[in-house]
Amino acid sequence: MDDKTGQPNVTDGELYLSGIPHDRFTEMRATPGLVWHPYSDGGFWAVTRHGDVKTVSKNADTYSSAIRHTNLWDLEADALDARRSLIDTDAPDHTRLRRLIATSFTPKNIRRWENTVRQIAVTLLDAFIEKGRGDWVAEVAAPLPIQVILTMMGVPLEDADYLVELSNFLVEGTGEQQSLPADAFGNTTELGLLPFNSPASHALFEYGEKIGELRRKDPQDDLVTSLVQAEEQGDRLNGVEYRNLFHLLIFAGNETTRTALSHGAVALADFGDQWQRVLDDPALIEQASEEILRWSTPVLHMRRTTSKPTTLAGTEIGPGQKVVLWYASANRDEDVFTAPTKFDVGRQDNPHVAFGGGGPHTCLGAFLARLEVNVLLEEMVKRNIRLTRMSDPRRTPSNFVHGILEVEMKVEHR
Amino acid sequence: MTTSESFAPKSVSVAVDNQVCAAGGQCEMLEPEMFSVDDETAIATVTGDGKLSPERAATLVDRCPSGAIYVDG
């Protein structure tokens, strides 16, 4: 509980150990205007309704990503400069960076990876079925997306476990406590200058530099090569931008879809009737994937900062104020979704904001994520399997990533 | 006698502002026959006739992450 308001503090990472505080978000959605939510440095405007999340997302001139940080806490200018990536830039820098990488993630170019995704999914799924039970996160949900993004980037698959481990440390950096000492991985950089304040970022930067160096000498047909070539052409990508983009691709390319695949499996196990509908009618797979994305909402929020005075939902907002987009709340907005608390694989109209509320920062990897979820469901349907949950999900104590660290599943053929 | 009034659904033309497009790819997903994101320039181009129903055009405008799609008459 927060001392002053007597309300649950939705920024308390520990709260998420028992799931998203949906009751509090429901109250905030029903409150006229925007709710001012306390935070250690004062507070922020909590944007919890679907329509308001879209309005803020699409008006990037007013609601900036480049001012002071896109996470809850403010950064000093030097830290912001050291971390600049696609996430915390506005046009024109954002447009330049996004165009550099965006063509690799368009629908038609992502479709070219379908066989690769399927091969990886089949190998993992068949191994899991063979064992009969195990930790779904470690055996399927985590390895699938990391292996796919590493293949696209041209990073050796042998290093998948190491890079997943680094990602886990990065998520820890969004919470109150980190298990790593500041000098872990030989880090000597001030933590404030590293993404997620984590020494794991230093390790990821170093890894990116090493593979970048290799590709400079010996170019391949992969994403890392195209990034270092853009860097060599001078004005398109500088060294800091390269390492931050590498960092972002590894982190966002595995952490988010891992979360969707974890929550998806839990939902399909817990709501057996919904999985039966998919088994009976595989034409529902795409809708089921979209529902899994809505249900899981892998990224719980992002923050914007106003560049000028504005008004949202009748609330006046001054310049330089924090505005936090709670995707986890917008995806349960009763004004947009019929029976939002029901997991419904047949949901017809599903304008979820799991990839953001539109605007220039819409998830770059959305089509890749969809492909991964779709292909895994297709292969599960083909094998006519049923998942049974054998343990409570062990959740991530984070207000930012809706993660599951571990969940024991049993798998049966029907 | 027929009147000049038409009851056929009207269509509108859509276009892409190439200064604003950031290759979000939503248009290519929603209307693959009509839009294609160029692999070199990372800018979407209209490859079909650009004609859509007003409702569909509004959806395309709404879904474009960059705000680059607009109704052009």
Side-chain angles (χ1 to χ4, degrees):
Chain A
M1 287 287 171
D2 182 83
D3 293 344
K4 288 169 209 138
T5 62
Q7 300 286 0
N9 174 359
V10 300
T11 68
D12 177 3
E14 301 291 314
L15 207 57
Y16 293 79
L17 286 170
S18 48
I20 295 169
H22 282 301
D23 290 350
R24 178 62 189 136
F25 283 122
T26 303
E27 283 171 9
M28 288 201 275
R29 282 196 303 276
T31 308
L34 301 178
V35 172
W36 180 256
H37 191 289
Y39 190 64
S40 55
D41 61 2
F44 57 81
W45 293 110
V47 181
T48 55
R49 285 180 292 265
H50 188 271
D52 295 334
V53 166
K54 283 188 72 174
T55 300
V56 171
S57 303
K58 294 178 132 203
N59 288 282
D61 289 347
T62 304
Y63 302 97
S64 168
S65 290
I67 302 174
R68 295 212 306 269
H69 208 188
T70 49
N71 281 120
L72 295 174
W73 62 97
D74 282 347
L75 291 178
E76 299 296 329
D78 56 344
L80 210 48
D81 285 343
R83 298 171 172 211
R84 285 264 184 238
S85 77
L86 266 183
I87 303 281
D88 31 32
T89 40
D90 291 335
D93 282 340
H94 175 264
T95 317
R96 171 177 55 89
L97 290 170
R98 178 113 183 182
R99 279 183 181 168
L100 211 55
I101 190 98
T103 54
S104 300
F105 292 90
T106 58
K108 67 170 177 286
N109 286 336
I110 285 301
R111 267 197 301 277
R112 295 181 184 150
W113 292 99
E114 182 171 335
N115 287 338
T116 305
V117 173
R118 195 172 301 280
Q119 243 172 16
I120 293 169
V122 162
T123 304
L124 295 168
L125 197 56
D126 284 345
F128 193 78
I129 293 169
E130 175 93 27
K131 283 175 75 174
R133 66 182 282 175
D135 174 12
W136 177 262
V137 179
E139 310 280 337
V140 181
L144 172 54
I146 190 80
Q147 289 183 22
V148 171
I149 194 72
L150 295 188
T151 305
M152 289 178 71
M153 292 175 75
V155 175
L157 289 185
E158 290 74 17
D159 295 338
D161 289 347
Y162 173 65
L163 294 166
V164 166
E165 189 193 345
L166 290 184
S167 293
N168 287 341
F169 285 127
L170 296 178
V171 173
E172 235 181 52
T174 69
E176 279 78 28
Q177 52 216 15
Q178 300 211 31
S179 59
L180 290 176
D183 62 354
F185 304 108
N187 175 51
T188 54
T189 308
E190 188 191 322
L191 290 185
L193 298 178
L194 293 170
F196 303 110
N197 299 322
S198 173
S201 286
H202 164 79
L204 201 43
F205 283 161
E206 280 216 318
Y207 190 99
E209 298 293 348
K210 272 187 202 147
I211 189 147
E213 199 49 48
L214 282 175
R215 292 296 180 271
R216 252 178 232 113
K217 288 183 195 140
D218 182 17
Q220 305 285 325
D221 182 18
D222 61 31
L223 265 174
V224 170
T225 302
S226 65
L227 290 180
V228 294
Q229 285 176 347
E231 192 188 348
E232 284 177 337
Q233 286 159 14
D235 58 342
R236 294 176 65 203
L237 187 72
N238 67 39
V240 172
E241 288 168 343
Y242 164 74
R243 67 177 203 189
N244 281 318
L245 205 43
F246 180 87
H247 185 288
L248 177 65
L249 287 170
I250 294 283
F251 178 72
N254 92 86
E255 176 60 42
T256 50
T257 311
R258 180 202 321 184
T259 300
L261 297 177
S262 301
H263 282 284
V266 169
L268 294 173
D270 290 357
F271 308 111
D273 59 322
Q274 295 298 313
W275 178 234
Q276 190 60 48
R277 286 175 73 190
V278 181
L279 287 175
D280 292 343
D281 180 10
L284 285 176
I285 285 174
E286 281 193 21
Q287 275 157 266
S289 293
E290 295 300 324
E291 182 67 345
I292 285 171
L293 289 160
R294 182 185 78 88
W295 194 252
S296 59
T297 316
V299 176
L300 296 166
H301 72 262
M302 280 286 183
R303 166 199 161 179
R304 302 289 183 264
T305 307
T306 45
S307 63
K308 52 189 161 200
T310 189
T311 303
L312 182 66
T315 299
E316 286 182 23
I317 305 176
Q321 295 202 326
K322 291 183 189 180
V323 175
V324 179
L325 307 169
W326 290 97
Y327 307 125
S329 171
N331 276 344
R332 297 269 181 127
D333 190 332
E334 38 290 281
D335 287 344
V336 174
F337 301 99
T338 311
T341 60
K342 186 176 173 359
F343 178 75
D344 177 3
V345 295
R347 198 174 283 281
Q348 289 286 341
D349 189 26
N350 196 345
H352 66 76
V353 292
F355 296 125
H361 293 279
T362 298
C363 175
L364 173 73
F367 303 113
L368 180 60
R370 286 191 168 107
L371 178 66
E372 291 175 5
V373 181
N374 278 331
V375 165
L376 184 63
L377 290 187
E378 283 166 21
E379 297 303 323
M380 286 168 67
V381 167
K382 269 186 211 162
R383 284 158 181 74
N384 198 22
I385 58 169
R386 184 171 291 271
L387 295 172
T388 310
R389 190 159 63 78
M390 305 304 285
S391 75
D392 284 336
R394 191 158 65 83
R395 292 168 180 272
T396 311
S398 168
N399 62 37
F400 180 63
V401 172
H402 187 209
I404 294 181
L405 293 167
E406 185 181 9
V407 61
E408 181 87 0
M409 288 280 181
K410 192 172 79 178
V411 58
E412 285 163 307
H413 280 281
R414 297 226 103 202
Chain B
M1 278 289 282
T2 54
T3 69
S4 61
E5 198 173 359
S6 164
F7 295 97
K10 291 185 178 64
S11 65
V12 295
S13 291
V14 289
V16 177
D17 182 340
N18 62 15
Q19 295 296 306
V20 176
C21 174
Q26 296 289 328
C27 56
E28 196 183 274
M29 179 186 76
L30 292 167
E31 290 289 340
E33 304 297 315
M34 188 167 294
F35 292 93
S36 173
V37 179
D38 186 282
D39 281 345
E40 293 301 316
T41 61
I43 291 167
T45 50
V46 178
T47 54
D49 62 4
K51 299 265 187 228
L52 290 171
S53 71
E55 294 76 22
R56 189 65 176 163
T59 301
L60 267 289
V61 170
D62 177 62
R63 299 282 177 85
C64 174
S66 325
I69 296 178
Y70 59 98
V71 173
D72 186 25

